[in-house]
Amino acid sequence: MNLANTLTLSRIISAPFFFIIYLLPRFFPQFFSNGSFWTIPVLWAIFLISEITDYFDGLAARKLNLTSDFGKLFDPFADTLVQLTYFLCFVIDDIWNAGIFSVILFLIIIYREFGILFIRNLMLKKNITLGARILGKIKTVLYIIAAGAALLVATFERLAVYGNLLPYFKTGALIIFIISVIFSVVSFIDYLLIYQKTGEANE
């Protein structure tokens, strides 16, 4: 566990804390009769620190020559786990009170991520480590923007501000999420084509 992978691990550890703190007011409303305002700065701190460490683990890997096959797989794995945790929170919100993200879109993302995992395992059998590609990186950036937009909506809801504009914020967050889902499917096709090419090259 070098510096880059330790930073990546810290993101994985942060994910369940985000999940618990985000949903505490939903599952235990009796303890939040005075509001859940305190959860907002904590959630934003976890979210921002997680994304900052995402940047610095890649920087450390490049600058300190810590790049490895393990890191190439560990980093996108951490990205996926963290982002799925965010999205699950917003989907539960949607089920709870007709909130932010649709469970159908979330299901597409889950299928995509398991599909990528399957392809990476097949590639490993050919001794090929399939790291993140450009479309996958774009997808990740869109995931982050979508999660940030949804967290902003949750912030306005919990602080009870911009009530008249809240439906527009929700629609904006949902549109970004839809775009990210589209890119996730396109990037999956890209990975699939890469796998097909490696199969043809080995024939």
Side-chain angles (χ1 to χ4, degrees):
M1 290 299 291
N2 55 41
L3 176 60
N5 292 333
T6 301
L7 289 172
T8 302
L9 179 62
S10 71
R11 303 208 314 276
I12 294 176
I13 294 173
S14 73
F17 286 99
F18 185 95
F19 181 84
I20 292 169
I21 293 170
Y22 188 92
L23 293 175
L24 270 176
R26 299 295 189 199
F27 290 111
F28 301 100
Q30 64 272 26
F31 299 120
F32 293 89
S33 56
N34 294 323
S36 54
F37 310 120
W38 68 269
T39 63
I40 296 302
V42 176
L43 290 170
W44 276 107
I46 294 173
F47 177 77
L48 293 174
I49 291 171
S50 176
E51 299 313 322
I52 290 170
T53 55
D54 186 19
Y55 170 77
F56 279 107
D57 65 5
L59 185 66
R62 292 188 298 273
K63 296 295 184 181
L64 302 178
N65 196 26
L66 301 175
T67 303
S68 64
D69 286 345
F70 175 79
K72 289 178 183 177
L73 296 176
F74 194 40
D75 183 64
F77 167 76
D79 287 342
T80 299
L81 188 146
V82 170
Q83 289 152 4
L84 287 179
T85 301
Y86 295 156
F87 293 158
L88 179 59
C89 290
F90 304 135
V91 166
I92 292 175
D93 240 4
D94 182 69
I95 296 172
W96 207 285
N97 65 345
I100 306 169
F101 286 164
S102 164
V103 67
I104 295 175
L105 296 175
F106 180 63
L107 191 61
I108 293 173
I109 287 178
I110 291 178
Y111 287 167
R112 182 267 184 197
E113 298 302 338
F114 274 100
I116 292 294
L117 178 63
F118 182 65
I119 290 174
R120 283 199 168 108
N121 284 333
L122 292 176
M123 297 284 278
L124 283 175
K125 287 188 176 182
K126 299 180 179 182
N127 295 319
I128 300 173
T129 302
L130 185 60
R133 289 174 55 78
I134 185 64
L135 287 175
K137 291 179 179 179
I138 293 173
K139 176 269 304 179
T140 298
V141 171
L142 288 171
Y143 277 6
I144 294 169
I145 296 173
L151 185 55
L152 189 63
V153 171
T155 298
F156 293 156
E157 283 186 328
R158 296 188 182 192
L159 297 180
V161 296
Y162 301 114
N164 294 333
L165 297 177
L166 197 57
Y168 300 102
F169 286 119
K170 287 183 178 180
T171 301
L174 181 59
I175 289 172
I176 298 171
F177 189 52
I178 291 171
I179 294 172
S180 70
V181 171
I182 292 171
F183 261 89
S184 74
V185 173
V186 172
S187 68
F188 173 75
I189 295 172
D190 178 55
Y191 282 105
L192 198 59
L193 291 174
I194 291 297
Y195 173 72
Q196 184 180 17
K197 289 178 180 178
T198 59
E200 292 172 352
N202 290 331
E203 288 178 357

